[in-house]
């Protein structure tokens, strides 16, 4: 079983990203749970979403305390939220950032593997969301495929096509671009 | 088709596949998406139903009662305070023998204001005469709505399908969505003999003197009792068409078990992890999940617990000044069977406090270490 | 007046009972007229046949026959609504048994 925690801000599509990822897992015949932090969401406030993946039915119905991997959709969260809280030793941290993984490694320490992708730049290039608040979730999904190896691009593209209401092509392009531009994933 | 659905949408899809004709519901967290999705489905013309906007849950149930009295298939969904506001009309629906199906997202009751799960909202409707199911995953949510109509229309009783707030309502899981043709074959249009009909005018629910009232109550109770058999029979028909098995109870690794965790709702699923781990260590333990709370399967529970060494009843609810509610009922069911196995009653997870495998291990540990419980409630996780 | 009261249904045993608390026959055996203390009497000299009393009566106690309004005293429960609603004030309320 693989447990993933996504950190973002209300309005960035964090919960939608978890849902699209889960959709891809289901299309691939896997078992999955995707859920938000149980509570109330506010625009701009930190948001957490969870995805639990397995190749057999999932009985565990409690929250996720010790995720295998972390995905950070908004780099400004790193100042206020301890995103690696509970992260398992050797876990991966995928951050939306223009920085190189080596520049961030120090912040997270040696026990985690850091990867970055400039999802904000990709979202701006594909005109997803507005200039001041780009929607990075589909770009992040492309990076997740490369970084976490839980599904493949064909399925994630199919899931994006079903899961986003507008600019389907641009969203797919964003995912593809993020897939190829992930840093630290090799 | 296998689809990713949140619990709330599994409800809406179940109601749509059941071809409900009247929907009257008032949105409340954590049930809101049920109403949202159904209103869209109706507005898009994908379901030929009347969607009645109401100003409260009391009115929602009133509208369902009116619709059901005319023989229409009526649906509503609610949660916590909304269900409590319906209370008066829950009696009306049940004594009126109306086969309404309602989804209730189990949410704790205020104050303090809360939106998270426990079962006190629906369990405090125990004596309204509704059939009550407690489900454990989103597949079961969808299936039990469809099953619910079949059952309700056979026994002329309303059915409440209860699911844990957030743990199911807001969690996406893979759900096998059945084909409409199969559902149609299982659940034909409802055409009751008793209904409000201008060609055959009747008064419904009029003044009933003490000379005749009691027999209606007797019949209502009899219908409840008989519905146990009908549930088994309906679940059999369901399994034949859809391949998924349900019943009054659900057993997990019970065959040779000496110890039993008695559970309901999603805690039952997490308990499987604990049981699997303990079995690895050679502990003979199983799970008895109570899926149907009304009619109460006392006989069946007693039979399942016969010969066991100990049982640990886990309640996500409480009857203040007494104990966990399932615990109390199960204890009562054993008395006249002369059964005297140590029966421990744990209260856990109120107001949505998370229930993890570690907590459930603690419960089993406690039960193993003590010969007999000395208190009616063993509190789990209270900051004492 | 051409009126025959309906049959009263007696529920003697369980098998007689309907599925739900619903009526099995009409209520025309239930003479609400027996509740009456005051009796409405129409003064046909003043009556203009407007039908207001017929509309307001909460029982099936005002009926129209020979093109005029009449009171059915089997069912008139003596509530006095017709007395106060009549625009011509031509219904008087008289004490029963006087
Ligand atoms: S007194 Fe009342 S019941 Fe009698 S005729 Fe007048 S309105 Fe009808
Ligand atoms: S309301 Fe008065 S005036 Fe009108 S029909 Fe009746 S008795 Fe006559």
């Amino acid at each position: 079983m693989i447990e993933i925690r996504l950190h973002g801000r209300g309005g960035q599509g964090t919960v939608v990203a978890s849902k699209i990822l889960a959709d891809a897992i289901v299309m691939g015949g896997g078992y999955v749970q995707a859920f938000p932090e149980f509570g109330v969401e506010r625009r701009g406030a930190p948001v957490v979403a969870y995805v639990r993946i397995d190749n057999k039915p999932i009985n565990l119905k409690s929250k996720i305390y010790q995720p295998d991997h972390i995905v950070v959709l908004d780099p400004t969260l790193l100042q206020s939220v301890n995103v690696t809280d509970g992260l398992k030793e050797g876990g991966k941290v995928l951050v939306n950032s223009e920085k190189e993984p080596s520049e961030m490694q120090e912040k997270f320490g040696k026990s985690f593997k850091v990867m970055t992708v400039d999802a904000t730049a990709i979202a701006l290039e594909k005109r997803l969301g507005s200039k001041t608040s780009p929607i990075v979730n589909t770009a992040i999904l492309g990076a997740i495929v490369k970084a976490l190896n839980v599904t493949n691009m064909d399925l994630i593209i199919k899931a994006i096509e079903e899961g986003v209401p507008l600019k389907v092509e641009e969203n797919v392009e964003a995912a593809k671009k993020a897939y190829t531009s992930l840093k630290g994933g090799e | 088709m296998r689809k990713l659905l949140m619990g709330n949408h599994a409800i809406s899809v179940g109601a749509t596949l059941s071809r409900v004709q009247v929907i009257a519901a008032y949105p409340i967290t954590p049930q809101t998406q049920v109403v949202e999705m159904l209103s869209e489905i109706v507005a898009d013309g994908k379901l030929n139903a009347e969607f009645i906007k109401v100003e409260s849950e009391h009115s929602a149930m009133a509208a369902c009662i009116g619709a059901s009295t005319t023989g229409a298939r009526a649906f509503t969904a609610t949660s916590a305070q909304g269900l409590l506001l319906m209370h008066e009309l829950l009696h009306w629906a049940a004594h009126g023998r109306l086969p309404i199906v309602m989804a209730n997202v189990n949410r704790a009751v205020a104050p303090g204001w809360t939106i998270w799960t426990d079962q006190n909202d629906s369990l405090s409707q125990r004596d309204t005469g509704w059939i009550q199911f407690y489900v454990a995953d989103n597949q079961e949510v969808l299936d039990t709505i469809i099953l619910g109509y079949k059952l309700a229309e056979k026994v002329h009783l309303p059915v409440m399908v209860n699911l844990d707030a957030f743990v199911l309502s807001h969690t996406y899981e893979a759900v096998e969505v059945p084909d409409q043709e199969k559902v149609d074959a299982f659940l034909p249009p409802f055409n009751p003999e008793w209904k409000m009909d201008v060609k055959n005018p009747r008064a419904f629910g009029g003044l009933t003197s003490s000379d005749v009232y009691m027999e209606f109550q007797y019949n209502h109770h009899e219908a409840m009792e008989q519905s146990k058999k009908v549930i088994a029979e309906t679940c059999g028909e369901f399994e034949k068409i859809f391949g998924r098995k349900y019943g009054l109870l659900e057993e997990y690794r019970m065959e040779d078990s000496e110890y039993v965790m008695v559970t309901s709702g999603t805690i039952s699923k997490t308990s499987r992890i604990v049981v699997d781990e303990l079995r690895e260590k050679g502990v003979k333990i199983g799970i008895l999940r109570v899926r149907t709370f009304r009619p109460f399967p006392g006989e069946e529970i007693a039979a399942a617990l016969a010969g066991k060494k100990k049982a640990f009843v886990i309640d996500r609810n409480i009857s203040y000044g007494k104990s966990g509610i399932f615990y109390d009922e199960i204890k009562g069911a054993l008395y006249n069977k002369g059964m005297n196995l140590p029966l421990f009653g744990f209260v856990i997870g109120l107001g949505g406090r998370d229930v993890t495998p570690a907590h459930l291990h603690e419960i089993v540990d406690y039960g193993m270490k003590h010969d007999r419980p000395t208190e009616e409630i063993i509190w789990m996780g209270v900051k004492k | 007046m051409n009126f025959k009261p309906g049959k009263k249904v007696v529920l003697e045993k369980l098998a007689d009972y309907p599925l739900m608390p619903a009526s099995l026959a009409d209520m025309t055996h239930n003479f609400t007229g027996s509740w009456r203390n005051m009796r409405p009497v129409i003064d046909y000299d003043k009556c203009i046949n407007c039908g207001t009393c017929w509309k307001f009566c909460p029982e099936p106690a005002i009926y129209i026959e020979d093109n005029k309004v009449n009171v059915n005293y089997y069912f008139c429960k003596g509530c006095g609504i017709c007395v106060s609603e009549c625009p011509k004030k031509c219904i008087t309320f008289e004490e029963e048994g006087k």
Side-chain angles (χ1 to χ4, degrees), chain B residues 82-93:
Chain B
L83 183 67
L84 304 185
L85 185 56
M86 275 182 191
H87 178 77
E88 178 203 357
L89 292 167
L90 295 184
H91 285 278
W92 194 274

Side-chain angles (χ1 to χ4, degrees), chain B residues 35-46 51:
Chain B
V35 187
E36 257 170 22
M37 186 177 183
L38 280 172
S39 66
E40 278 168 22
I41 290 171
V42 174
D44 291 348
K46 288 178 191 151
F51 189 98

Side-chain angles (χ1 to χ4, degrees), chain B residues 147-296:
Chain B
L147 251 168
Y149 277 108
K150 179 91 175 186
L151 170 68
E153 291 167 9
K154 276 188 192 176
V155 295
H156 281 277
L157 288 172
V159 169
M160 192 188 297
V161 180
N162 294 289
L163 58 146
D164 292 358
F166 294 102
V167 187
L168 292 183
S169 70
H170 285 62
T171 298
Y172 286 88
E173 293 180 337
V175 173
E176 185 63 43
V177 178
D179 295 337
Q180 183 68 62
E181 302 80 72
K182 280 189 178 178
V183 178
D184 288 345
F186 176 74
L187 185 66
F190 182 46
N191 190 18
E193 198 190 319
W194 286 89
K195 64 178 171 194
M196 191 177 282
D197 178 1
V198 285
K199 292 197 201 91
N200 183 18
R202 286 184 195 289
F204 290 82
L207 186 71
T208 308
S209 68
S210 40
D211 191 35
V212 288
Y213 181 85
M214 202 160 154
E215 285 72 19
F216 284 112
Q217 301 297 301
Y218 176 89
N219 280 343
H220 187 166
H221 175 73
E222 280 296 298
M224 265 288 189
E225 283 294 318
Q226 277 163 22
S227 67
K228 277 199 222 171
K229 232 192 285 149
V230 183
I231 289 168
E233 166 196 309
T234 310
C235 288
E237 290 168 45
F238 187 90
E239 191 186 352
K240 249 187 231 144
I241 296 183
F242 302 101
R244 289 182 293 277
K245 196 180 164 83
Y246 300 106
L248 290 165
L249 303 169
E250 179 195 72
E251 300 193 353
Y252 183 73
R253 305 192 81 165
M254 282 285 282
E255 322 77 56
D256 62 338
S257 70
E258 296 172 345
Y259 304 96
V260 184
M261 298 169 83
V262 186
T263 60
S264 66
T266 54
I267 288 177
S268 320
K269 291 279 176 172
T270 308
S271 297
R272 290 186 179 198
I273 295 165
V274 173
V275 162
D276 290 347
E277 285 170 5
L278 289 168
R279 284 268 177 180
E280 291 271 299
K281 292 185 193 150
V283 181
K284 290 189 170 175
I285 187 164
I287 303 167
L288 183 66
R289 168 158 81 98
V290 183
R291 197 176 109 79
T292 317
F293 178 70
R294 279 293 180 275
F296 189 69

Side-chain angles (χ1 to χ4, degrees), chain C residues 42 47-53 69 86-88 90-91:
Chain C
I42 300 170
C47 172
I48 56 169
N49 250 338
C50 67
T52 304
C53 52
V69 291
C86 170
K88 285 288 163 197
C90 64
I91 311 181

Side-chain angles (χ1 to χ4, degrees), chain A residues 15 19-20 22-23 25-36 38-40 58-65, chain B residues 2-4 115-116 136-137 166-168 170-174 252 266 269-270 272-273 276 352 354-357:
Chain A
V15 176
K19 199 203 142 197
I20 292 174
D23 213 3
I25 306 290
V26 171
M27 288 182 203
Y31 293 89
V32 73
Q33 282 172 2
F35 49 94
F38 300 161
V40 273
I58 301 171
N59 285 323
L60 189 58
K61 297 282 182 188
S62 61
K63 295 179 193 173
I64 291 173
Y65 298 95
Chain B
R2 202 159 168 266
K3 269 190 88 171
L4 183 73
I115 53 173
W116 297 279
D137 61 30
F166 294 102
V167 187
L168 292 183
H170 285 62
T171 298
Y172 286 88
E173 293 180 337
Y252 183 73
T266 54
K269 291 279 176 172
T270 308
R272 290 186 179 198
I273 295 165
D276 290 347
D354 203 20
V355 178
T356 65

Side-chain angles (χ1 to χ4, degrees), chain B residues 355-377:
Chain B
V355 178
T356 65
H359 296 133
L360 298 169
H361 271 298
E362 228 178 287
I363 283 177
V364 177
D365 281 353
Y366 183 102
M368 293 297 192
K369 277 197 201 112
H370 294 76
D371 290 340
R372 278 206 167 264
T374 50
E375 315 160 274
E376 283 288 276
I377 297 181

